[in-house]
Amino acid sequence: EKFINAGYGADMKEKWFGEVKPMLAKKNSCINLPYIVDGDDVITQSNTCALYLGRKLGTDTDANFAKNHTVLDQTMDLRNDLMKVVYAFSGIVKTKEEFPEGAKQHIAGTTTTSFTKLESFCAGPYMCGAKPESGDFMLFEMLDQHSSICKSIGEPDIL
């Protein structure tokens, strides 16, 4: 199938908000980033996109429906808390100088709590057992981001 990876940077205001988002809103009034266009379907929101791809690609199973959703939701809770540290407009850290201390507090607090919960919830080499499901991919992103943050602030790698 045809795949187009759309990214927005300096042109976000003009391209995303001015062109693409209004066009996609005609098919899905909840449109936001990220999104998937699959034929006539427009899918949006991080967890919904992950679940959609899990179904479409055959990685998600009915047997692990609730467990996989729990992984997605717990991971999103962690991501939302991280946003308070990395986006100046959304929380604790307002300046670049405040980042190291805010990141250390995040790693010692929410990160440690969330990863402890997820580790105890893990049912195999992947969260739901022997094979990865959509929740694993969202978790991989958080593991990668938190590992990178630890390195950038001189803390031991969370992994």
Side-chain angles (χ1 to χ4, degrees):
E1 290 186 38
K2 183 179 177 182
F3 172 77
I4 299 170
N5 184 17
Y8 305 98
D11 65 345
M12 187 165 200
K13 184 176 182 181
E14 297 80 26
K15 188 73 174 167
W16 169 245
F17 288 107
E19 296 175 27
V20 178
K21 187 173 183 176
M23 178 189 66
L24 294 175
K26 293 174 185 173
K27 291 189 174 188
N28 184 337
S29 62
C30 296
I31 192 64
N32 208 337
L33 296 172
Y35 66 90
I36 298 166
V37 177
D38 187 10
D40 289 333
D41 295 324
V42 176
I43 297 90
T44 191
Q45 300 295 345
S46 298
N47 286 356
T48 304
C49 288
L51 291 167
Y52 181 84
L53 290 172
R55 290 282 183 178
K56 179 103 177 162
L57 300 173
T59 61
D60 290 4
T61 64
D62 289 337
N64 291 325
F65 176 82
K67 188 169 190 73
N68 187 48
H69 273 258
T70 301
V71 172
L72 279 167
D73 294 338
Q74 184 65 45
T75 303
M76 185 56 71
D77 288 349
L78 174 59
R79 182 190 179 283
N80 288 339
D81 195 65
L82 176 61
M83 295 307 104
K84 297 173 190 172
V85 177
V86 298
Y87 289 134
F89 59 82
S90 65
I92 310 164
V93 174
K94 301 289 185 192
T95 66
K96 184 177 179 178
E97 293 74 29
E98 293 175 348
F99 176 76
E101 185 56 35
K104 286 178 184 178
Q105 289 175 11
H106 171 76
I107 297 294
T110 304
T111 302
T112 300
T113 300
S114 292
F115 286 158
T116 299
K117 287 179 183 180
L118 288 163
E119 187 173 20
S120 295
F121 197 66
C122 190
Y126 299 99
M127 292 304 297
C128 294
K131 295 181 180 176
E133 297 203 17
S134 56
D136 290 289
F137 295 100
M138 301 298 272
L139 180 56
F140 296 159
E141 178 188 8
M142 285 294 96
L143 289 167
D144 184 55
Q145 288 183 10
H146 283 81
S147 176
S148 178
I149 289 169
C150 286
K151 290 174 189 166
S152 78
I153 61 172
E155 289 290 308
D157 195 331
I158 197 82
L159 302 178

